[in-house]
């Protein structure tokens, strides 16, 4: 029973959350109900310099995912995050290593959630987790700490800065049990990268209202390529919502991530954005994009 061990009894709820709510962190049958789900959403403007984000909520072991980047600057780039703690984190845009590193301001949404497993009132399951890996260029298998009724939408991002080379996260073979993951550096580099921390959030496809947020979690068809693809939102939003997304497939092997433009309260356009360190072509085959939107 201590805050160093985030989940002593393995019930999916962080020790600190259980203690704060009057539950026993040593008893796997004693844990907070789904209404205790603590998370926050934000959108910020960033460039290549570090920006500090301060949490509005109180966390013991926060999981942070921030992606994708808007398309104000044409140079391909990734999000880097460092120094995640209970009060906040640092974040910036990092261009791929072959570029000059200077990047104009872009808009990025971030999702922060207490580490653990949660079930909404309608039965929707959510998992916020973390692992360490140095797997680069080839995939390794990681399991969820629970079994979902069906394949969830998954966001995964690197949340440490143990090596300065630009790097992104790729996913494939997502199931109700787990997923395959690897890191990608630019194609010109060797397939090596220092061990990094990876934060992920898995959320069953669903829509509704949670903690006052109107939300929608869903997947596109396997149709998103290097050209822009329009996503029409299923929910009714009053204003353009916060938007997070990740490729759910790795059908194209070239190093790439998602960029977006033209976000309204009705829709958004996304594309797969390859880097050009090794060659000039940026054509990319179709991928499935999983997304989460919150107002």
């Amino acid at each position: 029973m201590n805050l160093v061990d985030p989940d002593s009894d393995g019930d999916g709820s962080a020790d600190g959350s259980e203690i704060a709510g009057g539950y026993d962190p040593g008893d796997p049958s004693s844990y907070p109900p789904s209404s205790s789900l603590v998370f926050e959403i934000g959108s910020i403007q960033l460039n290549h310099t570090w920006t500090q984000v301060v949490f509005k909520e109180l966390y013991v072991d926060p999981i942070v995912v921030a992606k994708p980047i808007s398309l104000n600057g044409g140079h391909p780039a990734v999000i880097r995050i460092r120094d995640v703690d209970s009060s906040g984190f640092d974040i910036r845009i990092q261009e791929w290593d072959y570029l000059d590193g200077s990047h104009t301001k872009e808009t990025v949404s971030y999702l922060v959630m207490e580490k653990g497993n949660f079930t909404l009132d309608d039965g929707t399951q959510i998992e916020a987790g973390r692992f360490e890996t140095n797997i680069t260029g080839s995939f390794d298998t990681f399991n969820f700490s629970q079994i979902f009724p069906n394949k969830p939408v998954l966001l995964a991002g690197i949340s440490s800065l143990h090596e300065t080379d630009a790097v992104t996260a790729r996913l494939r073979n997502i199931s109700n049990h787990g997923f395959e993951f690897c890191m990608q550096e630019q194609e010109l580099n060797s397939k090596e990268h220092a061990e990094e921390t990876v934060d992920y959030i898995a959320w069953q496809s669903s829509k509704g209202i949670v903690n006052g947020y109107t939300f929608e979690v869903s997947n596109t068809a396997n149709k998103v390529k290097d050209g822009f693809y329009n996503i029409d939102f299923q929910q009714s939003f009053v204003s353009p919502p916060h938007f997070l997304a990740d490729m759910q497939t790795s059908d194209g092997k070239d190093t790439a991530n998602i960029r977006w433009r033209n976000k309204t309260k009705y829709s958004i356009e996304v594309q797969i954005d390859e880097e050009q360190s090794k060659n000039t072509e940026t054509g990319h085959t179709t991928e499935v994009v999983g997304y989460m939107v919150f107002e």
Side-chain angles (χ1 to χ4, degrees), residues 12 33-34 37 47 51 67-68 82 101 106 124 149 152 166 169 196 198 205 230 250 268-269 282 287:
S34 61
L37 172 63
N47 60 14
T51 296
K67 56 172 48 179
R82 70 179 185 187
E106 305 279 3
T124 298
E196 301 280 7
V198 178
S205 293
N230 186 74
S250 288
I268 193 170
E269 294 178 329
T282 57
E287 305 280 4

Side-chain angles (χ1 to χ4, degrees), residues 8-294:
S8 301
D9 55 12
D11 60 8
S13 293
D15 289 357
S17 297
E18 295 193 39
I19 293 170
Y23 297 90
D24 182 358
D27 180 358
S29 67
S30 174
Y31 54 86
S34 61
S35 58
S36 67
L37 172 63
V38 177
F39 73 97
E40 63 189 79
I41 297 288
S43 292
I44 52 176
Q45 287 198 320
L46 299 173
N47 60 14
H48 54 277
T49 61
W50 288 105
T51 296
Q52 184 181 41
V53 175
V54 177
F55 296 143
K56 298 176 183 176
E57 303 288 344
L58 296 175
Y59 299 95
V60 174
D61 194 5
I63 299 298
V64 178
V65 179
K67 56 172 48 179
I69 311 168
S70 60
L71 191 62
N72 297 329
H75 284 176
V78 298
I79 288 292
R80 293 307 299 269
I81 292 173
R82 70 179 185 187
D83 297 342
V84 179
D85 61 24
S86 60
S87 62
F89 62 96
D90 292 340
I91 183 171
R92 79 175 182 99
I93 293 171
Q94 182 179 13
E95 292 190 344
W96 292 106
D97 303 337
Y98 71 95
L99 298 167
D100 64 12
S102 179
H103 201 94
T104 191
K105 283 198 171 183
E106 305 279 3
T107 301
V108 179
S109 294
Y110 61 87
L111 174 58
V112 185
M113 187 176 296
E114 190 69 71
K115 183 176 182 291
N117 299 338
F118 307 92
T119 303
L120 302 184
D121 292 339
D122 65 358
T124 298
Q125 290 180 211
I126 302 167
E127 178 171 322
R130 177 184 298 113
F131 58 90
E132 315 286 331
T133 186
N134 64 356
I135 296 296
T136 310
S138 61
F139 285 84
D140 200 3
T141 300
F142 297 87
N143 293 321
F144 297 126
S145 64
Q146 62 181 315
I147 297 177
F148 287 86
N150 45 49
K151 177 173 65 177
V153 173
L154 181 62
L155 307 178
I158 296 155
S159 58
S160 61
L161 189 67
H162 298 153
E163 182 178 324
T164 58
D165 286 357
V167 65
T168 192
R170 293 296 298 272
L171 300 165
R172 72 178 188 185
N173 294 336
I174 301 168
S175 72
N176 62 332
H177 291 267
F179 55 94
E180 293 183 3
F181 174 93
C182 80
M183 295 188 289
Q184 284 186 323
E185 290 194 359
Q186 65 180 25
E187 289 184 70
L188 194 62
N189 292 8
S190 61
K191 293 180 172 57
E192 295 179 349
H193 194 90
E195 184 176 81
E196 301 280 7
T197 301
V198 178
D199 284 10
Y200 70 87
I201 294 175
W203 192 312
Q204 279 186 272
S205 293
S206 53
K207 58 183 178 180
I209 298 176
V210 59
N211 291 12
Y213 291 100
T214 301
F215 78 95
E216 175 180 324
V217 177
S218 189
N219 286 311
T220 70
N222 194 341
K223 292 184 176 181
V224 184
K225 307 172 66 171
D226 50 291
F228 275 96
Y229 177 92
N230 186 74
I231 298 173
D232 291 317
F233 301 138
Q234 303 168 40
Q235 291 284 78
S236 296
F237 297 106
V238 177
S239 58
H242 305 291
F243 175 81
L244 297 103
D246 208 345
M247 279 183 275
Q248 308 295 281
T249 52
S250 288
D251 297 336
K253 307 307 178 187
D254 289 352
T255 300
N257 55 8
I258 301 171
R259 302 291 291 273
W260 64 266
R261 71 178 186 185
N262 295 338
K263 181 174 65 173
T264 71
K265 64 182 179 180
Y266 304 109
S267 64
I268 193 170
E269 294 178 329
V270 296
Q271 70 165 172
I272 308 303
D273 189 32
E274 290 191 359
E275 52 85 22
Q276 297 175 288
S277 63
K278 192 173 182 180
N279 53 56
T280 58
E281 67 85 18
T282 57
H284 198 93
T285 192
T286 57
E287 305 280 4
V288 176
V289 169
Y291 63 92
M292 304 181 188
V293 287
F294 300 84

